[in-house]
Amino acid sequence: MTSTPSSTVERAFKAALYAESDTALDTGASLLAADPAADAELARRGREFVATAWRRGWQPADLVRIVRRELDDVHVGLASALIRAQTPYDGPRGPRWTAQLEELTAEAAETAGATGTPPRIDRFSHATALLELYRLLLRLPALEPLDEPTRRPGSAPGAGPTSESRMLTRIRALLAKAEATGFPDEAEALSAKAQELMARHSIDEALLAARAPSPDAPGACRIGVEAPYEQAKAVLLDAVATANHCRAVWNEPLGFSTVVGFEADLEAVELLYTSLLVQATTAMTKSETAQRAGGRKRTKTFRQSFLAAYAHRIGTRLAAAAETQVTDDLLPVLASREVAVTAHTDHMFPETTTTRLRGVNDEAGWTEGAQAADRAQVGARPRLP
């Protein structure tokens, strides 16, 4: 009986995808490596796994994040190639999805430009990596679907994707300069300007919603919260989300938080959280160097306590700043948006639990983390008109 490409792939999958042993994986990889005619069918089945992940609520950035977390760089490259190969078969997904695909394409081009021609690997090693990737994709759990917020028909000129892109590009540039400069006064000025633009962007959206008969609905995005010290990072993200009229729900096993809010506020959360995390890491590295110079070696406990204190103190600062920014005439608008965000969060996550920070027991780390948070550039929102 002649073996067909489809039957070769099925036999390989039966041997490898549902077993944990290296022997089973080797058996499947050997079948694929010995049959080059099965390559096209193997690639098609890979695209099917990606399409199934989309139907189960995953997005491109989520998929790459979990592959990077669970496997190796070679698997990340294979996953990125599969996602890009599946793109022509997907329908329109929205601007956030498109941005994730563009980032994958840019990363692939950057990697190719840096390394030149990728190193050749033998067919058996390639098949092994593919089967390891497919086994991970096959076992992905379902996630809450993230419907991108819809924009009102006939939105005002200047409120479309092009102007938003220009605004957000400017904000990112300001934050990047704030993180890179060695002059505190310059960092403060740049960060304050970035936060002012974030606030302006959010306020404009709120005012448009108040005047429009059919306001935008809240949406959601996922932001990676990676180990180590992921608990403290999740607390920091929650503080930033709350200050920007959003809600954050942490998925510890999968390494991300889902942030629910209106689009302009989601963008602000992503930008500010990233900036604060960069500032925290920089400050922690400097403090740790000083601790080591003083003869202290408790690196892990110092870092955990540092980031926990930093997150706690940043939350206090942002909450205090938020209380001073809202005038009476905008209270009804913001209150209605808060109700909408809360309702959307409860719909997506009907059951949540709380957790407590663990391993925060280094006094020096806590003290220096709190001091670093006091020095961090968050920039107050301007008072709403």
Side-chain angles (χ1 to χ4, degrees):
M1 180 177 178
T2 304
S3 176
T4 65
S6 180
S7 65
T8 297
V9 172
E10 286 294 342
R11 288 164 56 206
F13 282 7
K14 184 177 181 180
L17 294 193
Y18 304 97
E20 297 287 351
S21 70
D22 290 340
T23 300
L25 190 66
D26 290 348
T27 299
S30 297
L31 289 168
L32 295 173
D35 189 358
D39 290 354
E41 175 65 13
L42 186 62
R44 187 189 69 79
R45 295 293 293 272
R47 294 195 301 272
E48 284 186 355
F49 282 126
V50 171
T52 299
W54 298 166
R55 291 192 294 271
R56 295 176 65 80
W58 291 74
Q59 295 195 349
D62 303 323
L63 210 57
V64 171
R65 186 188 306 115
I66 194 68
V67 172
R68 181 174 285 117
R69 175 174 172 161
E70 299 294 333
L71 298 173
D72 299 318
D73 287 345
V74 63
H75 304 91
V76 173
L78 291 173
S80 176
L82 273 179
I83 292 168
R84 287 179 280 118
Q86 174 60 24
T87 299
Y89 302 94
D90 293 329
R93 299 281 188 167
R96 192 178 295 278
W97 188 289
T98 300
Q100 293 177 22
L101 292 176
E102 289 174 349
E103 185 173 349
L104 283 182
T105 301
E107 287 178 358
E110 183 178 347
T111 300
T115 61
T117 303
R120 292 181 178 274
I121 61 174
D122 59 89
R123 288 186 55 81
F124 176 80
S125 298
H126 180 72
T128 300
L130 275 178
L131 288 174
E132 290 170 334
L133 173 61
Y134 290 1
R135 186 162 61 185
L136 175 63
L137 297 181
L138 179 68
R139 299 173 182 180
L140 291 178
L143 298 179
E144 301 78 14
L146 302 184
D147 295 327
E148 297 207 26
T150 56
R151 181 162 296 281
R152 297 172 301 278
S155 293
T162 302
S163 64
E164 286 184 4
S165 178
R166 287 197 298 267
M167 172 75 80
L168 295 173
T169 298
R170 186 180 177 193
I171 292 171
R172 289 190 179 94
L174 288 168
L175 288 175
K177 290 179 181 178
E179 293 156 10
T181 183
F183 301 98
D185 290 344
E186 183 183 13
E188 182 174 6
L190 291 167
S191 297
K193 181 62 176 177
Q195 181 62 27
E196 178 183 343
L197 291 178
M198 287 182 200
R200 184 73 265 162
H201 191 43
S202 178
I203 294 164
D204 288 345
E205 289 285 324
L207 292 174
L208 278 173
R211 293 195 295 264
S214 301
D216 295 342
C221 67
R222 298 188 186 103
I223 299 177
V225 181
E226 303 289 355
Y229 321 116
E230 58 269 34
Q231 275 195 319
K233 293 174 183 176
V235 171
L236 176 62
L237 177 53
D238 181 75
V240 174
T242 301
N244 286 278
H245 318 297
C246 297
R247 297 277 298 276
V249 179
W250 181 34
N251 186 321
E252 183 176 7
L254 295 180
F256 62 77
S257 283
T258 302
V259 182
V260 182
F262 287 86
E263 183 63 22
D265 297 327
L266 293 177
E267 297 283 1
V269 170
E270 289 184 284
L271 291 169
L272 185 55
Y273 171 70
T274 301
S275 178
L276 288 172
L277 196 57
V278 169
Q279 294 182 58
T281 303
T282 301
M284 182 175 66
T285 301
K286 291 180 180 179
S287 296
E288 187 182 54
T289 300
Q291 289 287 316
R292 284 176 159 175
R296 298 182 179 91
K297 304 294 185 181
R298 297 171 297 172
T299 300
K300 183 175 181 179
T301 55
F302 177 86
R303 289 185 172 188
Q304 175 74 9
S305 299
F306 184 103
L307 287 175
Y310 183 92
H312 176 76
R313 180 59 183 154
I314 284 292
T316 301
R317 287 186 62 192
L318 290 175
E323 291 179 359
T324 68
Q325 303 305 312
V326 180
T327 53
D328 292 342
D329 55 335
L330 266 180
L331 278 174
V333 177
L334 296 179
S336 66
R337 287 164 75 88
E338 182 178 352
V339 168
V341 169
T342 300
H344 195 61
T345 305
D346 293 342
H347 175 73
M348 290 182 67
F349 303 98
E351 295 183 7
T352 59
T353 59
T354 58
T355 186
R356 298 180 62 182
L357 279 170
R358 301 183 296 267
V360 181
N361 54 20
D362 188 298
E363 183 178 356
W366 181 271
T367 300
E368 296 208 22
Q371 292 173 350
D374 285 333
R375 295 190 300 268
Q377 308 303 324
V378 297
R381 287 178 180 265
R383 181 171 293 277
L384 303 183

